[in-house]
Amino acid sequence: MASLNEYLLVSGLLFAIGLAGVVLRRNIIVVFMCLELMLNAANLTLIAFSRFNTLDGLPNYNGLMLVFFVITVAAAEVAVGLAIIVALYRTRQTIHTDELTTLKG
Amino acid sequence: MNQEAWTLLFLPLITAVVCQFILRKSFITPLASTASALITLVLAISLLGREGTLSFDWATIGDFKLSIGIHLDKLSTGMMVVVTGIGTLVHIFSLAYMDQDEAKGRYFTGLAFFMFSMTGIVLASNFIMTFIFWELVGFSSYLLIGHWYQKASAADAAKKAFLCNRVGDFGFMIGILMLWGITGTLAFGEMEVSPAVSTATLSAAILCIFCGAIGKSAQLPLHVWLPDAMEGPTPVSALIHAATMVAAGVYMLFRVQLSLGAEVFHGLQASVVIAWTGGITALVAALMAIQQDDIKKILAYSTLSQLGYMVMAVGLVAGEAGMFHLYTHAWFKALLFLGSGAVIYSCHHEQDIWKMGGLWKKLPITTACFGAGFLALIAIPFTSGFFSKEQILEAAHHEQPVLFWIAVFVAVLTPFYMTRLFLIAFMGKPRAHGAEEAREVSPVMWVPLAILATLALISGYPFIAEQIAPAYLKPHHLIHLGFTTYVSIGAVLAGIAAGFALYFGKDKDPLDIPLLRNKFYIDDIYDKFIVRYFQDTFAALIHFFDELFINGLAVGGLSRASVSVGNFFRRVQSGNLQAYSYAFGLGVVLVIYFTVFR
C-alpha cells in the first residue's frame, strides 16, 4: 500500500492544477471544473488522513463523514454554478472571463 | 379690561394666521381682515382712558425676566385709536382699490399682520417687546412694499426699505442695551435715571436709540427708503408709510422721554442732535418735494418733512406737540394718500401729475376730500394741522430761534408744493387720456375719504383732541394771536401765493432745478460711493477669502483628497475575475501563514 506522503503529494498536485486552472484559464466552464478539482483534492487528503489515522485497527470515520458533506455541497454548488453560467451566457452571450469586466472601477 | 387688551393685541395675529393658512385665496380673506380691523377699532375706543400694565413672563434667564406686556396709558390708548382707525378705513378703501388684484388674499393677510405688529409697538410695556415688534413691522412693511414683486422696482424698494431699517436697528439695539445698563430695567413703567449717570453716557444711549427712529421714521440720512416705498399699493402707503409705521419712531422717542422724565432731556446734547436732525430733514425733504412729478412721491417727501417736524419737537423736549402733530398728521396724510389712490385708480394707474388735470369736474367728492387734507397739511387756520403745527412752532420759537426760522421756511415750502400739486392735478384742463376718462370712485372708496376729511378738519379742536389724541396740551385760547401765529399764517399765505403765481394755468413745469429734482443726489452718492466703493470692495474681499480658504482649502481640499484616495483604490477593482481569485488565493495563503506558522 502506498504511504501517506504519496497520497498527500497527489492531492497537493491536484490542488495546484485546480488553482492554476482557476487563475489562468479564460473559459468559465473550465474554471468551474478546476474548482471541482480543488474540492476533490481536499477530499483525497481527508480520506488519506482518515485511513492512516487508525484507532483500535479501525480508520477514523470523522474524516470520511466530512467527505460526504463536501460531495453533497459540491453537487449543490454545481447545480447553482451551472445555472449562473447559463444565465450569464443568456444575458452577455459570452463565457470568457476577459469580457466580463462590469466591475472594473 | 384684561381680555379686551389682549384681544386687541392678538386678534390681528390670529386673523393673519387664519388668512395665511386656512382661507388663503378665498373671497372671505379681505372681509375677515377688515372685520378684524373694525373689531380692534371698537376695542381701542373702549380702552380709551384706561391705565395700567398687564404682563406675563415670557422667558426667565436667572434673575433676568423677559415679559410680554401691555402698557395702557393716555399715550398708548390714543395711539391705538389712530392706528386702528386709519387701519380700518384703509382696509375698507382697499376692498375697492385692490378688487381686481390677483393676490388680494396675500395683501389683506399682510395688512392684518401689519396691524398686529403695529399694535405690539404701541402697547409694548418694555423695550425688548418694542424691539421685537419693531422688526415685525419692518418685515410686514417689506411684504407690502413688495406686493407687486414681479416688478423689479417694487422688489428693489422692499429690499431697500428693509436694509435701511436694519442699519438704524443696529444702533437701536445697542441703545436699548445701554439704557438697560443705565436704568437696570427694560420696562417703561420702572425706568429712572440716577443722578450719578453722566450726561455723556445718557446722550450716547439716547442717540443710539434715536438711530432706530432715524431708520423707521426715515430721517436724514436714512430717509432714502421712504420715497421708494411708494412702489407698494397706495392704501399701504397711506397706512404704513404715512400715518402709522413711520410715526413709530416718534412714538418710541416720546415713550422714552415719558419714561425717563422730560427733565432729563433738557439741555442734553442728544436732544440738540435730535432737534437738528428733525429740522434739517424737514427742510431738505420739503425742498425735494418741490420738483417731484409723481403724486405719491410728492406726498412721500411731504411725509418726510412733517416727520422732521415731529422729531424736531421731540428734540426740543416738546414731545406733546410732536405727538399732537403725529396724531393730526396721521388723519390728513392718510386722507391725502387715499385721495391720491382714488385719483390714480380712476386715471388708469397714472401717477404723473402733469398727465392729470381738470379732475375736480370728474371727481368732485374726491377733490373735495383731498382739498380738506390739503388745507390741513398746509396749516390753514382752523384746520387740525394748523393747531398742531402752531404748538411745534411755539416750542421752536421758545427753545431754538434758528430752528424756528427753518421751520417757518418749511411752512412756506409746504403750501408751495401742495398748491402746485393741487393746481396741476385737479385744476386746469385734462392733459392725458387717463384724466379725460376719469370717473368718480365708488362709495366704498369715497366714504373712508369723507370720514378722514372730517377728521382732518376737526381733529385739532380740544373737544375731540382731549378724548383721543395720544398727547395733548390744551392751549389757554383756541388761537393765541402772537408772534408765531402771525409768522405761520404769513408763511402759509406766502407759499400759496407763490404756488399760484408760478403754477396757475400751466401745462409745463416753469421751474427746473436739477439739484432738487434729483433729490440732492443723495441716492446717487449712496449708489456710487457706499455701494460701489465700500460694499463692492468688501464683497470682493470676502469673495477672495471665500474662494481661497473655504472653497480652496476647507471644502475643495477635502473633496480633492477623497477623490485622489478613491482614484488610488479604484485600480484594485480590475474587473478581471481571475485577478480577484488570484488575490483571494494570495489572501488565503497569507491567512494560513499568519495563523499556522506565526
Side-chain angles (χ1 to χ4, degrees), chain B residues 275-276 278-284 286 305-306 308-310 312-313 316 325 377-379 388-397 400-415 484 487-489 491-492:
Chain B
W276 276 96
I280 292 171
T281 306
L283 177 65
V284 169
S305 158
Q306 300 299 313
Y309 265 132
M310 299 172 207
M312 185 179 83
L316 294 170
H325 192 57
L377 172 58
I378 67 175
S388 55
K389 206 175 271 185
E390 200 71 352
Q391 290 196 358
I392 293 182
L393 288 177
E394 192 76 50
H397 183 50
Q400 264 283 354
V402 186
L403 276 178
F404 170 71
W405 288 110
I406 289 180
V408 169
F409 185 54
V410 174
V412 179
L413 292 175
T414 309
T484 51
V487 170
S488 75
I489 293 176
V492 172

Side-chain angles (χ1 to χ4, degrees), chain B residues 47-216:
Chain B
L47 282 174
L48 272 177
R50 301 278 178 80
E51 304 224 338
T53 305
L54 318 162
S55 71
F56 64 87
D57 288 338
W58 182 44
T60 311
I61 307 158
D63 295 338
F64 177 72
K65 279 205 181 76
L66 209 56
S67 56
I68 293 288
I70 290 178
H71 189 80
L72 292 175
D73 57 5
K74 186 166 167 50
L75 179 61
S76 62
T77 52
M79 189 71 186
M80 269 328 291
V81 172
V82 174
V83 169
T84 54
I86 291 175
T88 308
L89 295 174
V90 164
H91 270 86
I92 295 170
F93 186 89
S94 301
L95 286 179
Y97 190 85
M98 301 298 281
D99 193 37
Q100 304 298 322
D101 198 90
E102 281 175 8
K104 61 179 167 171
R106 178 157 52 83
Y107 172 81
F108 277 93
T109 309
L111 277 189
F113 191 70
F114 170 76
M115 291 298 285
F116 166 65
S117 323
M118 192 65 211
T119 310
I121 291 188
V122 175
L123 294 180
S125 70
N126 61 64
F127 246 134
I128 295 293
M129 191 177 157
T130 304
F131 188 74
I132 294 170
F133 284 96
W134 194 263
E135 296 297 327
L136 285 179
V137 158
F139 168 68
S140 46
S141 153
Y142 169 82
L143 286 183
L144 288 166
I145 296 172
H147 179 69
W148 291 313
Y149 60 88
Q150 297 93 337
K151 260 199 315 185
S153 57
D156 287 347
K159 212 159 55 185
K160 189 172 180 182
F162 199 80
L163 288 178
C164 284
N165 272 304
R166 285 304 310 160
V167 173
D169 290 347
F170 272 115
F172 189 37
M173 196 149 66
I174 297 168
I176 290 175
L177 293 177
M178 282 178 80
L179 206 61
W180 183 37
I182 291 171
T183 63
T185 175
L186 286 165
F188 291 127
E190 299 161 11
M191 279 187 186
E192 226 170 308
V193 180
S194 77
V197 177
S198 77
T199 53
T201 318
L202 194 61
S203 269
I206 288 168
L207 280 181
C208 283
I209 285 176
F210 180 55
C211 283
I214 289 181
K216 199 63 78 191

Side-chain angles (χ1 to χ4, degrees), chain B residues 244-266:
Chain B
T244 53
M245 184 188 91
V246 288
V250 180
Y251 176 83
M252 184 270 297
L253 283 179
F254 185 59
R255 173 63 82 193
V256 174
Q257 211 169 64
L258 272 190
S259 307
L260 295 178
E263 65 280 359
V264 176
F265 282 75
H266 278 291

Side-chain angles (χ1 to χ4, degrees), chain A residues 22-23 25 97 100 104-105, chain B residues 570 573-575 577-578 582:
Chain A
V22 166
V23 173
R25 294 302 296 264
T97 56
L100 302 171
K104 188 171 167 66
Chain B
R570 208 178 64 166
Q573 300 292 334
S574 61
L577 192 64
Q578 261 92 18
Y582 188 70

Side-chain angles (χ1 to χ4, degrees), chain A residues 47-64:
Chain A
I47 291 172
F49 276 122
S50 160
R51 183 70 186 78
F52 284 92
N53 191 10
T54 52
L55 197 72
D56 301 333
L58 289 172
N60 187 340
Y61 291 110
N62 287 349
L64 291 181

